[in-house]
Amino acid sequence: MNTYRNIPSIIISVILLLLPFTGYPQETEKEAIDSARTTMIDDIKQAFLKPADSVRIYSWTVSKLGEITRIPFDTAAINYASKTLVDSRSVAMGYLGNLGSPAENKIFFGRPEREDFIFADGYWPYLQKPDQFHFMNTKVPYANITYNNGGEKGHNAEQFKGAMSMNFGKKFNIGFDFDYIYGRGMYESQSTKDINLAIYSSYISDKYDLNVLYYNTNFLNYENGGIKDDRYITDKEAIQEGGQNIPSYNIPTLFIDTWNHIKGNRFYFTHKYNVGFYQTAPGQEAASDPKKEFVPVTSFIHTFDFRSNNRRFLSHDKNIDTIYGSHHLPVDSGYVVNDRMSYWSLRNTVGIALREGFKKWAKFGLTVYADFDYRHFTLADTTMNGTLTEKIYKEFSTKIGGELAKRQGSLLTYRANAELGLTGVDLGEFKLTGEIGTKFPLWGKDISIKGKAHLLNLVPAFFERHNHSTFYWWDNNFAKTKRIYFGGELNFPYTRTKLTAGVENITNYVFFNKEGVSEQHDGNIQVFAAQLNQNFKAGILNWENEIAYQKSSSPNALPLPEFSAYSNLYIIFKIAKVLTIQPGIDVRYQTSYYAPYYDAATQQFRMQDEVKIGNFPLLNVYLNAHLKYTRFFVMGYNIGSLLFQTNYFSLAHYPLDPFYIRFGLSWNFYN
């Protein structure tokens, strides 16, 4: 028991030791509510009134309009090994091979919306945006330690994660998350060092809600531009002298002594004051001392969001000129490419909401809000005589919006949000999004149906419009990008089946062409996608499957693998009724296509038509185990690279890691 009490202090000590290095260059659905009067705050209160061995942790996300959505806390006893891989973020992922490196979702409808600071977009698998962050309320102090490791000694990738959360009373919580990745790299000049630190707090009461988040990010990537000759992977016998097997870390790469370093800070808080009344709780009418519940009628909302990012692209490799050519900025006598750019923004959102369910006739909630955003960008520039200087861009935006939503009940739920830019650079920009869902019972299980749609008219991201650097220079006057999407989802729990499909038309799509330059597609692009999740179970045998089909009408600007699949076959059983064992094998596959090439100088995924990648199985064998509060695993990653000659590239010229052994441990503490 004393060990448990010491865990929080141990985690804090580790973080304090690691923090000095950060400066170096280096839907889920909300549960249906039986009564329209029941609110999220009531759920929190009830959780704390339950016995000590019942609900321990309450977790949620919160939108910029202060809307709290409850999510389940991750204590899953299965598939832990797979979840530690970058590949697990989608049925098809593209990345540089190493843990912690930039990545792109190859399933188009799974890609996050572009940010103004596009250089950090590739790190989305390792980040949580404020509206995705998991806040907590804990009945007892909670801590977690997670450690994963894999790869040959000296070229392995390690990840250490720590978390702690504790309450001071029933309403106030404070906690932190820490994520440290050090990937030495299975290929030359490929190492990564990523540090994420989140400190958060919440105060939830009848009349006042507050959620606060500070997020610090630090990503350092050693860049190699990919391998020089793909035959080291695709035709080893032809290129390796005397049939000698060359280790992956001895395969020549495009360049060395080159780094990308991104640092970021974000301070975010959203709070809400509720006006309403107290009334006798349902079922308490006959009680001598009936309990009272608070019924919110109107909420006043304010959200503050400050973010800052800066990027440095540094290279001492003179051979990099043979890749990128002429310079747009002067290079010093020691030949150092040293590109710098930065960004910060300050956003305030204020709103007022009429709450759903305060009376029987109030079947929906209505929110109106205004958004004020100031953005500041710094890029390199030159004077008339060629001297290096800086250029400042300032942008201001005012938007108004409204949201109509019915979240309570299960027969019918819906949400519609409209947002319009009134002034500044976002003048004329609008977003109209909506979703609708229903459930009905069949064979003892609820079948759910959802529909989604959006109509968007978006200003392209700032760094898609402007970029001043040594090898790339553009100032584009792009038109707004228009996107129209319709889609839906069917979920059949009885047969363990889920089917999703959607179609989108995109006008003025922005992409990075074969030269690595930001370009706007002239015309329309249509994308269709459908995805099937089908799971089977027979006794201890389980078979999980995910199949995706997608089609782009313009593969030159938006290439996509047409067919992708994931299959996971395993058995699961218990030993001595407490130890859960899950041995299994999984495989990922996608058809070949002209996958993009990751350009280190822009950190973007640009078009190429030289080589197709895909048409190979990424095969892993694993053993997961779960014992009370502890999860651990061992995995053999990419065993296909041992079994047969294969084309195991993730992106053009960027192969996946060859076979290695991976293991990990995650331990929860409650005390």
Side-chain angles (χ1 to χ4, degrees):
M1 192 70 80
N2 291 333
T3 301
Y4 291 0
R5 297 182 187 278
N6 290 333
I7 289 301
S9 61
I10 293 172
I11 297 175
I12 293 173
S13 300
V14 172
I15 289 178
L16 292 175
L17 288 172
L18 292 173
L19 279 178
F21 293 95
T22 61
Y24 291 1
Q26 310 249 5
E27 132 183 96
T28 300
E29 292 182 297
K30 188 169 76 172
E31 294 291 329
I33 302 175
D34 296 332
S35 171
R37 299 169 178 168
T38 306
T39 65
M40 186 62 65
I41 297 173
D42 294 323
D43 289 341
I44 296 176
K45 290 180 176 180
Q46 290 302 316
F48 281 94
L49 295 175
K50 291 184 179 181
D53 293 332
S54 59
V55 177
R56 291 181 176 269
I57 295 179
Y58 181 92
S59 187
W60 68 89
T61 60
V62 59
S63 73
K64 73 173 184 178
L65 300 179
E67 182 61 36
I68 290 176
T69 303
R70 187 174 181 176
I71 59 173
F73 182 66
D74 182 18
T75 56
I78 63 172
N79 294 333
Y80 174 48
S82 173
K83 292 177 182 178
T84 67
L85 300 174
V86 181
D87 310 87
S88 70
R89 298 305 300 268
S90 172
V91 67
M93 287 289 291
Y95 63 110
L96 312 191
N98 198 12
L99 183 67
S101 61
E104 181 179 63
N105 195 337
K106 296 181 180 181
I107 305 302
F108 180 70
F109 292 151
R111 294 178 183 176
E113 185 178 340
R114 299 283 272 174
E115 300 279 358
D116 276 319
F117 195 77
I118 61 176
F119 310 106
D121 284 354
Y123 296 98
W124 66 270
Y126 318 105
L127 295 171
Q128 280 188 312
K129 294 181 180 180
D131 61 354
Q132 299 169 336
F133 188 81
H134 296 181
F135 291 89
M136 288 188 185
N137 198 302
T138 62
K139 192 171 188 178
V140 294
Y142 161 78
N144 171 269
I145 291 178
T146 296
Y147 178 75
N148 305 313
N149 195 344
E152 186 176 334
K153 186 177 181 180
H155 303 277
N156 57 314
E158 297 178 281
Q159 182 176 26
F160 171 80
K161 301 174 73 173
M164 187 178 72
S165 180
M166 64 178 64
N167 265 54
F168 298 88
K170 297 181 179 181
K171 301 175 182 179
F172 179 66
N173 174 273
I174 188 169
F176 69 79
D177 291 341
F178 180 73
D179 188 0
Y180 175 74
I181 296 174
Y182 184 26
R184 295 162 180 84
M186 298 282 279
Y187 297 90
E188 183 181 16
S189 304
Q190 193 199 34
S191 64
T192 61
K193 188 173 184 180
D194 301 348
I195 301 176
N196 293 310
L197 172 65
I199 302 173
Y200 63 91
S201 183
S202 64
Y203 180 87
I204 306 293
S205 67
D206 287 344
K207 295 185 178 181
Y208 184 70
D209 300 351
L210 171 68
N211 291 273
V212 182
L213 172 65
Y214 169 72
Y215 209 104
N216 177 270
T217 59
N218 198 303
F219 300 105
L220 178 65
N221 275 41
Y222 204 170
E223 304 281 10
N224 63 19
I227 63 176
K228 283 186 177 181
D229 193 330
D230 290 355
R231 291 180 298 168
Y232 281 99
I233 304 297
T234 61
D235 195 359
K236 298 179 181 179
E237 293 182 359
I239 200 169
Q240 296 177 1
E241 297 180 2
Q244 181 182 4
N245 185 39
I246 299 178
S248 60
Y249 45 83
N250 287 338
I251 296 176
T253 56
L254 213 55
F255 43 78
I256 60 173
D257 296 331
T258 302
W259 300 265
N260 266 302
H261 189 199
I262 287 180
K263 294 190 291 185
N265 290 280
R266 192 161 190 173
F267 180 64
Y268 177 94
F269 71 83
T270 179
H271 56 147
K272 178 172 62 178
Y273 182 76
N274 305 311
V275 177
F277 58 91
Y278 286 91
Q279 68 178 17
T280 302
Q284 295 288 310
E285 292 83 1
S288 59
D289 186 18
K291 295 179 181 179
K292 298 288 186 177
E293 66 173 11
F294 182 74
V295 180
V297 177
T298 304
S299 296
F300 298 91
I301 307 155
H302 172 233
T303 298
F304 174 90
D305 187 5
F306 173 81
R307 71 180 86 178
S308 67
N309 289 99
N310 64 74
R311 174 189 181 237
R312 184 184 185 191
F313 176 60
L314 178 68
S315 180
H316 298 287
D317 187 356
K318 294 185 178 181
N319 292 325
I320 202 170
D321 269 356
T322 63
I323 309 301
Y324 291 110
S326 60
H327 298 166
H328 298 281
L329 292 172
V331 176
D332 69 15
S333 58
Y335 195 87
V336 177
V337 176
N338 190 11
D339 292 334
R340 295 175 182 267
M341 50 209 67
S342 64
Y343 150 80
W344 63 265
S345 73
L346 180 60
R347 174 181 294 178
N348 281 279
T349 304
V350 293
I352 183 170
L354 184 66
R355 301 290 294 270
E356 174 185 1
F358 69 91
K359 292 292 183 182
K360 292 182 178 180
W361 49 264
K363 300 298 185 182
F364 56 83
L366 177 63
T367 304
V368 293
Y369 63 93
D371 201 81
F372 309 94
D373 192 6
Y374 178 78
R375 310 164 194 152
H376 184 280
F377 306 87
T378 304
L379 287 84
D381 207 351
T382 56
T383 62
M384 294 293 292
N385 60 8
T387 304
L388 184 64
T389 185
E390 290 183 343
K391 186 171 183 177
I392 306 296
Y393 292 82
K394 300 178 181 179
E395 295 184 347
F396 183 77
S397 170
T398 302
K399 298 178 181 178
I400 59 170
E403 183 172 273
L404 181 70
K406 182 182 182 299
R407 296 181 172 91
Q408 298 176 6
S410 59
L411 181 60
L412 179 67
T413 59
Y414 55 82
R415 183 191 63 85
N417 185 284
E419 190 172 279
L420 174 65
L422 295 181
T423 65
V425 67
D426 293 334
L427 176 65
E429 178 176 280
F430 66 83
K431 300 179 181 180
L432 180 60
T433 62
E435 58 185 51
I436 188 170
T438 187
K439 292 182 181 180
F440 57 90
L442 182 65
W443 300 322
K445 299 282 186 176
D446 281 343
I447 292 179
S448 64
I449 303 175
K450 293 182 180 179
K452 294 184 178 182
H454 64 233
L455 174 61
L456 311 176
N457 189 41
L458 305 176
V459 176
F462 177 86
F463 284 102
E464 291 177 330
R465 293 177 279 130
H466 304 281
N467 185 24
H468 300 173
S469 62
T470 302
F471 300 118
Y472 290 107
W473 194 288
W474 63 72
D475 288 289
N476 297 316
N477 186 23
F478 284 153
K480 293 182 177 67
T481 300
K482 300 176 178 61
R483 304 180 63 162
I484 303 174
Y485 169 85
F486 296 96
E489 175 187 301
L490 296 174
N491 195 345
F492 301 89
Y494 186 81
T495 59
R496 299 182 175 89
T497 305
K498 185 170 73 171
L499 175 65
T500 61
V503 62
E504 184 165 24
N505 183 81
I506 311 171
T507 307
N508 300 326
Y509 177 72
V510 177
F511 66 102
F512 288 81
N513 60 27
K514 290 186 291 184
E515 288 71 40
V517 177
S518 176
E519 181 181 330
Q520 192 161 52
H521 183 269
D522 184 17
N524 298 329
I525 300 177
Q526 290 80 37
V527 179
F528 170 78
Q531 189 163 320
L532 173 66
N533 294 68
Q534 180 63 68
N535 301 332
F536 302 94
K537 180 177 176 60
I540 65 172
L541 182 65
N542 295 264
W543 188 21
E544 300 173 350
N545 298 277
E546 187 173 359
I547 303 170
Y549 173 82
Q550 54 186 353
K551 183 72 174 180
S552 169
S553 66
S554 182
N556 293 329
L558 180 54
L560 300 169
E562 289 194 12
F563 177 80
S564 304
Y566 170 71
S567 188
N568 180 25
L569 183 66
Y570 61 90
I571 61 173
I572 186 167
F573 57 91
K574 286 183 178 290
I575 297 178
K577 298 182 180 181
V578 294
L579 178 62
T580 302
I581 301 295
Q582 183 200 8
I585 183 169
D586 65 16
V587 61
R588 298 180 184 275
Y589 173 85
Q590 61 191 255
T591 50
S592 62
Y593 76 116
Y594 288 112
Y597 169 74
Y598 170 77
D599 189 337
T602 59
Q603 294 190 277
Q604 302 304 303
F605 301 91
R606 77 187 203 190
M607 302 300 102
Q608 62 86 29
D609 57 6
E610 299 173 353
V611 59
K612 287 187 175 183
I613 68 103
N615 196 27
F616 75 93
L618 173 59
L619 197 62
N620 308 313
V621 294
Y622 62 84
L623 175 66
N624 290 313
H626 180 274
L627 178 62
K628 202 172 183 180
Y629 302 137
T630 306
R631 293 180 288 182
F632 47 96
F633 76 89
V634 61
M635 168 185 277
Y637 178 81
N638 196 6
I639 62 175
S641 63
L642 293 178
L643 298 176
F644 37 80
Q645 190 80 13
T646 185
N647 177 24
Y648 53 90
F649 283 85
S650 183
L651 295 169
H653 311 307
Y654 286 95
L656 291 167
D657 287 341
F659 172 80
Y660 67 83
I661 300 297
R662 181 175 179 82
F663 64 90
L665 168 72
S666 181
W667 197 346
N668 291 332
F669 301 87
Y670 304 94
N671 207 334

